[in-house]
Amino acid sequence: MTLRTIAGGAELRVVADASALATTAAETIVAAAERAVAERGAFHLCSTGGSTPAAIYAALRSTAFASRMPWRQTTIWLGDDRFVPRSDPHSNLAAIDAVLLAPHADGSAAPMSTAQVEAWSTETPNADDAARAYAARATAALSINESGVPIFDLVLIGIGGDGHCLSVFPGSPLTAPDAPIAAGVAAPTHIEPHLPRLSFSLRILAAARAVLPLAAGAAKGEVLARIIDGSEPIATLPAKAALLPTATWLLDEAAASKLTGR
Ligand code: 6PG
């Protein structure tokens, strides 16, 4: 495992492959959960969509981590979701429903209950109203910072090929420092799936106690080099907002292959 400090005082951790990434992410989540429960009696994880979380949830459920995880004190939120019903396979809840809320193939009970997963309200007809309601739920349930932004114990983010994170795409008003905490997002035309989204703005990143950006695979190499080594602004590359001293960028070798200083 390679470790070094990168832009913004963030830590970079490079592991061999996607499987090591899932295990290392699970270890980070369990450690954050243990700390949060010891200090505040509850753990609020803000998870991500995309392709990486399913393997992380499976790792958390494995014997190596499941007994250490304070499941009963844990609440899972999502940084963003597609504005589709929960039953739609494009919902970011699909992986949580399948891996954390379902009984295991070996017959073991689900480690969490539906009430412990805070879902964006995709039945509300207006996306901005749905997003505002979610932000209000988060600010009521969590501590907030001096600007009223909820403080998650740990925020996981995936990195899009265009440099987005959450559903904050390049050029989005949600990149602004005074953006609303959450908003509806029109369906992107340049990134699949072409579905409207609900998303927190970038403001939750700096407010969080810890941030874990995750990326695996060679297809992410170029955009990661632009984000980590380049000088483009956050408005162009929203994931740059996660170059924070509280962040650990967890990449596999392939995703890190275009970075300088390796
Ligand atoms: C979403 C995500 C999004 C995702 C990135 C990376 O709902 O689409 O939250 O921000 O994390 O697009 O996705 P992958 O991990 O699939 O590359």
Side-chain angles (χ1 to χ4, degrees):
M1 183 180 316
T2 314
L3 270 179
R4 71 177 167 96
T5 303
I6 52 170
E11 181 178 79
L12 170 69
R13 190 172 288 199
V14 181
V15 296
D17 53 22
S19 156
L21 185 133
T23 313
T24 308
E27 175 63 46
T28 305
I29 292 169
V30 171
E34 288 172 333
R35 196 174 323 119
V37 169
E39 289 173 7
R40 290 173 297 282
F43 176 51
H44 290 278
L45 170 68
C46 185
S47 193
T48 181
S51 56
T52 37
I56 298 172
Y57 301 147
L60 279 177
R61 221 184 145 155
S62 70
T63 41
F65 298 109
S67 59
R68 285 174 55 204
M69 185 69 194
W71 295 108
R72 275 188 303 113
Q73 292 95 329
T74 296
T75 304
I76 300 185
W77 302 76
L78 282 167
D80 68 324
D81 207 345
R82 287 77 188 261
F83 197 31
V84 294
R86 187 170 185 146
S87 54
D88 189 304
H90 286 114
S91 168
N92 283 342
L93 291 161
I96 294 177
D97 287 345
V99 184
L100 296 178
L101 296 182
H104 201 257
D106 67 7
S108 60
M112 298 185 76
S113 69
T114 311
Q116 292 174 271
V117 177
E118 291 284 352
W120 292 82
S121 339
T122 50
E123 319 75 39
T124 307
N126 179 284
D128 277 326
D129 288 347
R132 262 192 297 272
Y134 197 68
R137 258 195 278 152
T139 47
L142 279 71
S143 313
I144 52 172
N145 73 5
E146 60 293 344
S147 314
V149 180
I151 302 172
F152 290 101
D153 294 309
L154 179 63
V155 178
L156 310 187
I157 53 167
I159 309 296
D162 61 348
H164 81 265
C165 65
L166 305 162
S167 279
V168 181
F169 298 103
S172 163
L174 293 182
T175 58
D178 60 350
I181 296 169
V185 175
T189 51
H190 69 298
I191 282 271
E192 289 190 354
H194 307 301
L195 290 167
R197 322 283 182 100
L198 303 169
S199 185
F200 279 121
S201 64
L202 298 177
R203 295 174 71 193
I204 65 157
L205 301 178
R209 293 192 174 87
V211 182
L212 186 66
L214 302 156
K220 298 285 166 76
E222 269 169 35
V223 77
L224 285 162
R226 283 172 62 204
I227 293 167
I228 292 174
D229 296 328
S231 55
E232 290 168 80
I234 287 172
T236 312
L237 286 176
K240 276 187 93 95
L243 289 168
L244 296 162
T246 44
T248 301
W249 286 66
L250 179 57
L251 313 182
D252 74 353
E253 287 284 356
S257 59
K258 297 261 183 348
L259 300 182
T260 56
R262 297 210 57 246

